[in-house]
Amino acid sequence: MSALNSKPTSLTGEQPPLRSWQVRCIRQALQTLSPASPHFLCQATPGAGKMRMAAVLADELMGRGDIDTVIYLGPTTSVVERAAETLSEVTGQSMNGRLGAAGATYTYHALHHRLDELKRLCEQARVLLIWDESHHAAGRNDGMGGMNGANRWGLALLALERHVRYTLALSGTPWRTDGSCLPLLRYMTATPDAPGPDNSFTGVNDEQAEPAEYQLLPDFIYSLSEAIQESICRLPRLHLVDNSDIQLTAYHLHSGRTETHRYTSIPHLLRHPAMHYSNLLRHSAPMAHLLDLGCQQLLALRQYDPDAAGLVVASDIAHAETLAEQLEDRGQTVCLVTSKSPGAHARLRAFRKDTMPWIVAVGMVSEGVDIPRLRVCCYLSHVRTEQSFRQVLGRIIRREGTDDPECYLFALNEPTLRHFARRITDDLPEDLATVSLAGATSAGLVDPASPTTSPATPASARLTPSSSVPDAPSTDKPTAEGDDLATRLTLGALSSPGDAIAPDVEFSQRFIARLIALQFPSPGQP
């Protein structure tokens, strides 16, 4: 009996029953896929279980004789390995690409080198092509034999398309930051008042994309709102940390003058021409504060969930090494996985089943990696796109059971990230989403442990409104007596017409955390 009827069998025995959304999506795909409609896009929130759905769909298509072989494409080696395991478990057949196997799994990078081989396979068998995290590919057939905006992976997919029977695209964020279209998928021309596939999500990135001309039409959508309501995903608690007393001292090399400016928030500090967000991520004060908040939160969670773990997303390898050292200085055990870490993929697999509290990475745990015990994230990446922000949130949002209803993400109160955090609430009905501010303790820190020691505490009882950070920065004011200023950060000189400045930045200990909370009413409430 098929997995679609909730009684699947596999190499490892009986599989758990499918979720309601997975059943609906599979049935719709089975009705939709045909020689006249060979492509299907499933847009489901990160952490919802897209790969399990895809594996069962592949099994159903093989069972009814529509396909013979499955080819899976994914962004990274670790994602591809997990996909191969899931496909084998559900179908009961090998997916190693060797003689007698029912399929093969590759990274997008490997696709270019195996294109001719895969074309020959597709000519000899009826193939289902599953391309996961589909936003990595770009390219659109212009209808006249040409390709618009195609990247290397998009060109390879378009070249393979004519040889496969069906394609299944999977993504929780099916758009590209550069505004280009994804290959193989259906688009409609956007009206002047309607956003294109990317306009709704690019927000205020460092490099704005051109307005999209087309609007993507997914075949099936499963939203974050539905996933939280159905207890598939955790309720995300997003803490954006700010500082109400920042001092910047700029030395003008040309004139020899020193100027001191005072700022009451990080957004206003970043308006200074010599300041950049990537520099703040390496400043000892905000970096230490984010790690402290993450450690406090994870300690509270591990009181009743001993396997709970935290993820720190760094900007580069050197930054990751520094963050790992700082966690170890706090008595934490850390798994560091980067592209230069020996045996990184094996360590990542081991961490999934371990009880180690922290993992630090740059990009290896950003998308598609399934580690459900991750519940806390410190976002210290310089990447500021909504796609990346949501993908990282997806690493901590997948629930394991009934006793892990919430997850926590800590980041600096940078304007773009704040915009993305607020947009997450847009995924929910207006009567269920609220935006609040968390009160600071007398020491100037938000204590994440005290309001969350019991998962049964109502969401409404966990929020204490406080005044927001003042909007207007003040300049040239002396440091208030008694302020405890943190370590300075000296930036390299910034060339400007006729002058250059090398600023020092100091943060007071008065950090506060803005909490953007997604709330749901208690059972029985309207």
Side-chain angles (χ1 to χ4, degrees), residues 211-474:
E213 299 177 0
Y214 303 97
Q215 184 172 358
L216 180 63
L217 299 176
D219 297 281
F220 186 89
I221 297 176
Y222 186 65
S223 68
L224 175 62
S225 173
E226 295 173 283
I228 294 175
Q229 289 174 315
E230 295 176 6
S231 299
I232 292 173
C233 287
R234 298 172 179 135
L235 186 70
R237 302 288 185 185
L238 310 181
H239 298 257
L240 303 183
V241 175
D242 210 328
N243 191 277
S244 60
D245 188 3
I246 306 170
Q247 178 176 301
L248 181 146
T249 303
Y251 175 68
H252 291 254
L253 301 179
H254 179 71
S255 63
R257 293 183 297 106
T258 298
E259 292 183 358
T260 300
H261 302 265
R262 297 291 290 273
Y263 297 89
T264 55
S265 70
I266 288 175
H268 289 116
L269 172 66
L270 292 174
R271 294 178 185 176
H272 194 285
M275 291 304 304
H276 195 274
Y277 173 66
S278 60
N279 297 118
L280 295 184
L281 295 175
R282 289 172 168 79
H283 192 289
S284 59
M287 184 166 59
H289 188 68
L290 284 181
L291 293 180
D292 286 341
L293 287 174
C295 289
Q296 291 172 32
Q297 184 64 72
L298 185 59
L299 177 62
L301 292 175
R302 286 171 71 93
Q303 298 300 314
Y304 59 89
D305 184 5
D307 294 336
L311 164 68
V312 178
V313 184
S315 292
D316 53 46
I317 293 176
H319 191 211
E321 292 171 346
T322 298
L323 291 166
E325 290 173 358
Q326 293 212 6
L327 283 172
E328 290 173 346
D329 289 343
R330 289 165 171 78
Q332 303 293 314
T333 307
V334 183
C335 174
L336 175 63
V337 289
T338 69
S339 58
K340 292 186 178 180
S341 301
H345 292 291
R347 296 175 69 183
L348 187 59
R349 289 193 297 271
F351 182 84
R352 183 181 293 112
K353 300 178 181 179
D354 205 335
T355 60
M356 189 180 297
W358 285 99
I359 185 168
V360 178
V362 179
M364 291 187 66
V365 195
S366 62
E367 61 179 349
V369 176
D370 176 19
I371 309 178
R373 69 189 191 92
L374 287 175
R375 294 186 60 184
V376 176
C377 176
C378 295
Y379 190 80
L380 287 154
S381 171
H382 68 277
V383 179
R384 287 171 293 168
T385 65
E386 184 162 6
Q387 189 176 84
S388 176
F389 193 69
R390 287 178 179 254
Q391 287 286 350
V392 168
L393 181 62
R395 297 319 100 213
I396 63 174
I397 210 168
R398 180 176 299 188
R399 293 188 69 163
E400 291 185 284
T402 59
D403 297 329
D404 61 338
E406 298 175 339
C407 60
Y408 304 83
L409 185 144
F410 299 92
L412 294 183
N413 183 30
E414 190 274 335
T416 307
L417 298 184
R418 185 174 68 244
H419 172 74
F420 297 156
R422 290 187 180 276
R423 281 190 51 79
I424 289 175
T425 66
D426 294 342
D427 287 345
L428 306 177
E430 290 184 3
D431 59 333
L432 297 182
T434 64
V435 179
S436 304
L437 299 178
T441 67
S442 58
L445 306 177
V446 172
D447 180 4
S450 58
T452 57
T453 52
S454 172
T457 305
S460 58
R462 286 193 289 270
L463 298 176
T464 304
S466 68
S467 59
S468 61
V469 177
D471 289 333
S474 57

Side-chain angles (χ1 to χ4, degrees), residues 90-147:
V90 170
T91 65
Q93 303 186 65
S94 172
M95 292 287 164
N96 61 14
R98 298 172 184 170
L99 185 65
T105 59
Y106 306 101
T107 63
Y108 282 111
H109 181 74
L111 173 61
H112 178 78
H113 303 287
R114 294 181 174 269
L115 193 55
D116 291 338
E117 173 189 337
L118 293 178
K119 284 181 182 178
R120 289 193 296 270
L121 172 63
C122 294
E123 291 170 355
Q124 299 169 3
R126 297 166 298 177
V127 173
L128 168 67
L129 174 65
I130 302 173
W131 51 304
D132 202 354
E133 306 296 349
S134 52
H135 49 268
H136 283 279
R140 181 172 176 80
N141 194 319
D142 61 10
M144 298 180 289
M147 303 295 177

